[in-house]
Amino acid sequence: MPSFSTYAAGYGGKVPTSNLRGKKLMIVPGDSELAACTEIAQADAALATAVGMQPTIFANQGTEAEYNTAVENAIHQHYAAIGLECDFDPTLIAPAIAQAQKAGIKVTVYGATPQEAAAAKVTYNTVDPYALDAKYAAEQAVAQHNGQPFQAIAITSNAAPATAIMQNALTSELKAVCSGCTVTDVNVEVPNWQTDIASSLSSALLQHPNTTVIFPDYAGMLTYVLAGIESA
């Protein structure tokens, strides 16, 4: 089995720290069953605690009903802010977000596309540069192969709106800088990452034994991607 290079999108943003002491923050992971979502939520809670806030992580299984309940709790319990985390699509609960903002609660979204953030009219959004991330991933893979063509597998989640942005940027960049490179897509939707990514990737690697690059679309896939490589 050849060696692999693995690339994934990352996130970034800034958090204001003035006048926060004693205020309550409701943190809503996109899906608590995904390790990456839990890690992000815990990191947010640690940061909130460090600046004197009182964070609450609302554990959930990624359903709209749970998201709405979290926002309703924040409104009724007088929270100062709500953090919707881990590739969260705010359009799913736009009416609830509007109610929270009407109540004076600041609403932030982590990893939404610009279109989603605009449609939901969120207060703050750490928009991820999905297209740029994918472009850099393609360029890094080409550089590590010294410009020579390679076979790659992309792990996608086609139902997630950001996926099309990344995949279009990835294929466009590879076409421009490595016309001989090939990419096979393996689609695993977000609710099935924990159970299906490793086995799906393992099967794909056995079908394409000359693969030397794997492009996971989301950083939260990495744990399961590594398990798939080991299995293959």
Side-chain angles (χ1 to χ4, degrees), residues 4-8 137 141 145 150-155 201 205 211-217 222 225-226 228-229:
F4 294 92
S5 298
T6 305
Y7 312 93
H145 286 75
F150 55 79
Q151 293 185 20
I153 292 174
I155 312 299
L201 176 57
L205 287 172
T211 296
T212 55
V213 174
I214 300 172
F215 293 112
D217 276 351
L222 285 173
V225 164
L226 294 175
I229 293 173

mmCIF file of all heavy atoms in Angstrom, residues 4-8 137 141 145 150-155 201 205 211-217 222 225-226 228-229:
data_model
loop_
_atom_site.group_PDB
_atom_site.id
_atom_site.type_symbol
_atom_site.label_atom_id
_atom_site.label_comp_id
_atom_site.label_asym_id
_atom_site.label_seq_id
_atom_site.Cartn_x
_atom_site.Cartn_y
_atom_site.Cartn_z
ATOM 1 N N PHE A 4 0.183 7.936 2.037
ATOM 2 C CA PHE A 4 -0.899 8.862 1.725
ATOM 3 C C PHE A 4 -0.618 10.247 2.266
ATOM 4 O O PHE A 4 0.026 10.416 3.297
ATOM 5 C CB PHE A 4 -2.226 8.370 2.326
ATOM 6 C CG PHE A 4 -2.725 7.103 1.715
ATOM 7 C CD1 PHE A 4 -2.394 5.875 2.257
ATOM 8 C CD2 PHE A 4 -3.507 7.134 0.569
ATOM 9 C CE1 PHE A 4 -2.841 4.705 1.692
ATOM 10 C CE2 PHE A 4 -3.956 5.973 -0.006
ATOM 11 C CZ PHE A 4 -3.629 4.754 0.553
ATOM 12 N N SER A 5 -1.137 11.236 1.548
ATOM 13 C CA SER A 5 -1.201 12.600 2.051
ATOM 14 C C SER A 5 -2.673 12.923 2.268
ATOM 15 O O SER A 5 -3.494 12.633 1.402
ATOM 16 C CB SER A 5 -0.594 13.583 1.041
ATOM 17 O OG SER A 5 0.772 13.290 0.818
ATOM 18 N N THR A 6 -3.022 13.493 3.415
ATOM 19 C CA THR A 6 -4.415 13.757 3.752
ATOM 20 C C THR A 6 -4.609 15.245 3.997
ATOM 21 O O THR A 6 -3.845 15.867 4.724
ATOM 22 C CB THR A 6 -4.813 12.980 5.025
ATOM 23 O OG1 THR A 6 -4.532 11.606 4.826
ATOM 24 C CG2 THR A 6 -6.291 13.152 5.314
ATOM 25 N N TYR A 7 -5.647 15.809 3.376
ATOM 26 C CA TYR A 7 -5.899 17.240 3.469
ATOM 27 C C TYR A 7 -7.345 17.477 3.855
ATOM 28 O O TYR A 7 -8.231 16.782 3.389
ATOM 29 C CB TYR A 7 -5.625 17.934 2.125
ATOM 30 C CG TYR A 7 -4.305 17.542 1.527
ATOM 31 C CD1 TYR A 7 -4.211 16.486 0.627
ATOM 32 C CD2 TYR A 7 -3.133 18.201 1.890
ATOM 33 C CE1 TYR A 7 -2.993 16.103 0.093
ATOM 34 C CE2 TYR A 7 -1.911 17.823 1.355
ATOM 35 C CZ TYR A 7 -1.843 16.779 0.458
ATOM 36 O OH TYR A 7 -0.646 16.403 -0.070
ATOM 37 N N ALA A 8 -7.604 18.466 4.673
ATOM 38 C CA ALA A 8 -8.983 18.779 5.063
ATOM 39 C C ALA A 8 -9.119 20.257 5.349
ATOM 40 O O ALA A 8 -8.142 20.939 5.659
ATOM 41 C CB ALA A 8 -9.415 17.978 6.286
ATOM 42 N N ALA A 137 -5.625 22.686 -0.901
ATOM 43 C CA ALA A 137 -5.426 21.246 -0.758
ATOM 44 C C ALA A 137 -4.946 20.633 -2.070
ATOM 45 O O ALA A 137 -4.036 19.798 -2.088
ATOM 46 C CB ALA A 137 -6.725 20.583 -0.304
ATOM 47 N N ALA A 141 -1.199 18.910 -2.721
ATOM 48 C CA ALA A 141 -1.036 17.538 -3.207
ATOM 49 C C ALA A 141 -0.173 17.496 -4.460
ATOM 50 O O ALA A 141 0.700 16.626 -4.605
ATOM 51 C CB ALA A 141 -2.408 16.928 -3.487
ATOM 52 N N HIS A 145 3.688 15.806 -4.969
ATOM 53 C CA HIS A 145 3.950 14.810 -6.014
ATOM 54 C C HIS A 145 4.841 15.379 -7.114
ATOM 55 O O HIS A 145 4.948 14.796 -8.205
ATOM 56 C CB HIS A 145 2.632 14.315 -6.615
ATOM 57 C CG HIS A 145 1.874 13.380 -5.723
ATOM 58 N ND1 HIS A 145 1.174 13.800 -4.608
ATOM 59 C CD2 HIS A 145 1.721 12.031 -5.778
ATOM 60 C CE1 HIS A 145 0.621 12.753 -4.017
ATOM 61 N NE2 HIS A 145 0.933 11.665 -4.692
ATOM 62 N N PHE A 150 -1.458 12.001 -10.178
ATOM 63 C CA PHE A 150 -1.732 11.039 -9.118
ATOM 64 C C PHE A 150 -3.205 10.669 -9.132
ATOM 65 O O PHE A 150 -4.026 11.347 -9.746
ATOM 66 C CB PHE A 150 -1.344 11.607 -7.748
ATOM 67 C CG PHE A 150 -1.991 12.928 -7.409
ATOM 68 C CD1 PHE A 150 -3.307 13.000 -6.957
ATOM 69 C CD2 PHE A 150 -1.279 14.112 -7.554
ATOM 70 C CE1 PHE A 150 -3.902 14.209 -6.651
ATOM 71 C CE2 PHE A 150 -1.871 15.341 -7.252
ATOM 72 C CZ PHE A 150 -3.185 15.391 -6.801
ATOM 73 N N GLN A 151 -3.507 9.564 -8.451
ATOM 74 C CA GLN A 151 -4.897 9.164 -8.259
ATOM 75 C C GLN A 151 -5.327 9.549 -6.849
ATOM 76 O O GLN A 151 -4.583 9.325 -5.892
ATOM 77 C CB GLN A 151 -5.053 7.651 -8.461
ATOM 78 C CG GLN A 151 -4.822 7.194 -9.888
ATOM 79 C CD GLN A 151 -5.098 5.709 -10.054
ATOM 80 O OE1 GLN A 151 -5.787 5.098 -9.244
ATOM 81 N NE2 GLN A 151 -4.544 5.125 -11.111
ATOM 82 N N ALA A 152 -6.521 10.115 -6.740
ATOM 83 C CA ALA A 152 -7.013 10.586 -5.447
ATOM 84 C C ALA A 152 -8.431 10.088 -5.197
ATOM 85 O O ALA A 152 -9.154 9.723 -6.129
ATOM 86 C CB ALA A 152 -6.984 12.111 -5.386
ATOM 87 N N ILE A 153 -8.785 10.070 -3.930
ATOM 88 C CA ILE A 153 -10.154 9.788 -3.510
ATOM 89 C C ILE A 153 -10.627 10.979 -2.690
ATOM 90 O O ILE A 153 -9.913 11.440 -1.786
ATOM 91 C CB ILE A 153 -10.243 8.506 -2.664
ATOM 92 C CG1 ILE A 153 -9.937 7.274 -3.523
ATOM 93 C CG2 ILE A 153 -11.628 8.368 -2.012
ATOM 94 C CD1 ILE A 153 -9.861 5.976 -2.730
ATOM 95 N N ALA A 154 -11.805 11.500 -3.008
ATOM 96 C CA ALA A 154 -12.406 12.587 -2.237
ATOM 97 C C ALA A 154 -13.565 12.024 -1.428
ATOM 98 O O ALA A 154 -14.438 11.345 -1.971
ATOM 99 C CB ALA A 154 -12.894 13.694 -3.158
ATOM 100 N N ILE A 155 -13.554 12.268 -0.114
ATOM 101 C CA ILE A 155 -14.671 11.866 0.739
ATOM 102 C C ILE A 155 -15.621 13.053 0.828
ATOM 103 O O ILE A 155 -15.266 14.108 1.360
ATOM 104 C CB ILE A 155 -14.201 11.458 2.147
ATOM 105 C CG1 ILE A 155 -13.026 10.482 2.058
ATOM 106 C CG2 ILE A 155 -15.346 10.856 2.939
ATOM 107 C CD1 ILE A 155 -13.357 9.198 1.348
ATOM 108 N N LEU A 201 -14.261 4.105 2.639
ATOM 109 C CA LEU A 201 -12.924 4.457 2.158
ATOM 110 C C LEU A 201 -12.074 3.217 1.966
ATOM 111 O O LEU A 201 -11.348 3.088 0.978
ATOM 112 C CB LEU A 201 -12.244 5.417 3.125
ATOM 113 C CG LEU A 201 -10.796 5.780 2.784
ATOM 114 C CD1 LEU A 201 -10.691 6.388 1.395
ATOM 115 C CD2 LEU A 201 -10.227 6.735 3.840
ATOM 116 N N LEU A 205 -10.286 2.176 -1.494
ATOM 117 C CA LEU A 205 -8.838 1.999 -1.637
ATOM 118 C C LEU A 205 -8.490 0.637 -2.220
ATOM 119 O O LEU A 205 -7.543 0.508 -3.010
ATOM 120 C CB LEU A 205 -8.167 2.173 -0.265
ATOM 121 C CG LEU A 205 -8.107 3.595 0.276
ATOM 122 C CD1 LEU A 205 -7.602 3.601 1.710
ATOM 123 C CD2 LEU A 205 -7.210 4.462 -0.605
ATOM 124 N N THR A 211 -4.064 4.680 -5.452
ATOM 125 C CA THR A 211 -4.401 5.959 -4.835
ATOM 126 C C THR A 211 -3.295 6.415 -3.876
ATOM 127 O O THR A 211 -2.816 5.631 -3.058
ATOM 128 C CB THR A 211 -5.721 5.845 -4.043
ATOM 129 O OG1 THR A 211 -6.787 5.549 -4.954
ATOM 130 C CG2 THR A 211 -6.036 7.147 -3.315
ATOM 131 N N THR A 212 -2.884 7.680 -4.004
ATOM 132 C CA THR A 212 -1.864 8.225 -3.107
ATOM 133 C C THR A 212 -2.314 9.505 -2.413
ATOM 134 O O THR A 212 -1.553 10.067 -1.618
ATOM 135 C CB THR A 212 -0.563 8.520 -3.870
ATOM 136 O OG1 THR A 212 -0.839 9.392 -4.969
ATOM 137 C CG2 THR A 212 0.068 7.224 -4.386
ATOM 138 N N VAL A 213 -3.510 9.991 -2.702
ATOM 139 C CA VAL A 213 -4.016 11.207 -2.070
ATOM 140 C C VAL A 213 -5.469 10.987 -1.654
ATOM 141 O O VAL A 213 -6.255 10.400 -2.402
ATOM 142 C CB VAL A 213 -3.938 12.417 -3.025
ATOM 143 C CG1 VAL A 213 -4.608 13.639 -2.396
ATOM 144 C CG2 VAL A 213 -2.495 12.742 -3.362
ATOM 145 N N ILE A 214 -5.806 11.463 -0.477
ATOM 146 C CA ILE A 214 -7.194 11.439 -0.010
ATOM 147 C C ILE A 214 -7.586 12.858 0.362
ATOM 148 O O ILE A 214 -6.871 13.529 1.106
ATOM 149 C CB ILE A 214 -7.375 10.500 1.198
ATOM 150 C CG1 ILE A 214 -6.984 9.080 0.807
ATOM 151 C CG2 ILE A 214 -8.822 10.536 1.702
ATOM 152 C CD1 ILE A 214 -6.931 8.119 1.967
ATOM 153 N N PHE A 215 -8.699 13.310 -0.182
ATOM 154 C CA PHE A 215 -9.230 14.639 0.109
ATOM 155 C C PHE A 215 -10.510 14.507 0.939
ATOM 156 O O PHE A 215 -11.590 14.353 0.375
ATOM 157 C CB PHE A 215 -9.565 15.393 -1.177
ATOM 158 C CG PHE A 215 -8.386 15.763 -2.043
ATOM 159 C CD1 PHE A 215 -8.211 15.161 -3.280
ATOM 160 C CD2 PHE A 215 -7.483 16.734 -1.632
ATOM 161 C CE1 PHE A 215 -7.151 15.506 -4.087
ATOM 162 C CE2 PHE A 215 -6.407 17.088 -2.437
ATOM 163 C CZ PHE A 215 -6.239 16.469 -3.674
ATOM 164 N N PRO A 216 -10.447 14.549 2.273
ATOM 165 C CA PRO A 216 -11.689 14.615 3.053
ATOM 166 C C PRO A 216 -12.230 16.052 2.972
ATOM 167 O O PRO A 216 -11.485 17.008 3.192
ATOM 168 C CB PRO A 216 -11.250 14.291 4.481
ATOM 169 C CG PRO A 216 -9.795 13.881 4.376
ATOM 170 C CD PRO A 216 -9.267 14.503 3.140
ATOM 171 N N ASP A 217 -13.487 16.214 2.668
ATOM 172 C CA ASP A 217 -14.041 17.557 2.540
ATOM 173 C C ASP A 217 -14.094 18.306 3.862
ATOM 174 O O ASP A 217 -14.029 19.537 3.876
ATOM 175 C CB ASP A 217 -15.445 17.487 1.932
ATOM 176 C CG ASP A 217 -15.426 17.423 0.416
ATOM 177 O OD1 ASP A 217 -14.343 17.613 -0.174
ATOM 178 O OD2 ASP A 217 -16.491 17.190 -0.182
ATOM 179 N N LEU A 222 -11.624 13.272 9.605
ATOM 180 C CA LEU A 222 -10.260 12.739 9.650
ATOM 181 C C LEU A 222 -10.103 11.479 10.485
ATOM 182 O O LEU A 222 -9.414 10.537 10.088
ATOM 183 C CB LEU A 222 -9.307 13.821 10.157
ATOM 184 C CG LEU A 222 -8.973 14.915 9.138
ATOM 185 C CD1 LEU A 222 -8.161 16.019 9.788
ATOM 186 C CD2 LEU A 222 -8.222 14.332 7.954
ATOM 187 N N VAL A 225 -11.388 8.667 8.494
ATOM 188 C CA VAL A 225 -10.558 8.447 7.319
ATOM 189 C C VAL A 225 -9.307 7.641 7.693
ATOM 190 O O VAL A 225 -8.920 6.693 6.992
ATOM 191 C CB VAL A 225 -10.166 9.796 6.683
ATOM 192 C CG1 VAL A 225 -8.998 9.623 5.703
ATOM 193 C CG2 VAL A 225 -11.360 10.413 5.955
ATOM 194 N N LEU A 226 -8.686 8.009 8.778
ATOM 195 C CA LEU A 226 -7.475 7.292 9.208
ATOM 196 C C LEU A 226 -7.800 5.833 9.513
ATOM 197 O O LEU A 226 -7.008 4.932 9.187
ATOM 198 C CB LEU A 226 -6.873 7.974 10.434
ATOM 199 C CG LEU A 226 -6.330 9.382 10.192
ATOM 200 C CD1 LEU A 226 -5.864 10.001 11.513
ATOM 201 C CD2 LEU A 226 -5.181 9.361 9.190
ATOM 202 N N GLY A 228 -10.099 4.099 8.055
ATOM 203 C CA GLY A 228 -10.299 3.452 6.760
ATOM 204 C C GLY A 228 -8.994 3.103 6.081
ATOM 205 O O GLY A 228 -8.863 2.036 5.457
ATOM 206 N N ILE A 229 -8.007 3.994 6.202
ATOM 207 C CA ILE A 229 -6.682 3.718 5.623
ATOM 208 C C ILE A 229 -6.056 2.512 6.325
ATOM 209 O O ILE A 229 -5.532 1.597 5.662
ATOM 210 C CB ILE A 229 -5.769 4.949 5.777
ATOM 211 C CG1 ILE A 229 -6.294 6.106 4.914
ATOM 212 C CG2 ILE A 229 -4.341 4.603 5.376
ATOM 213 C CD1 ILE A 229 -5.547 7.412 5.141
#
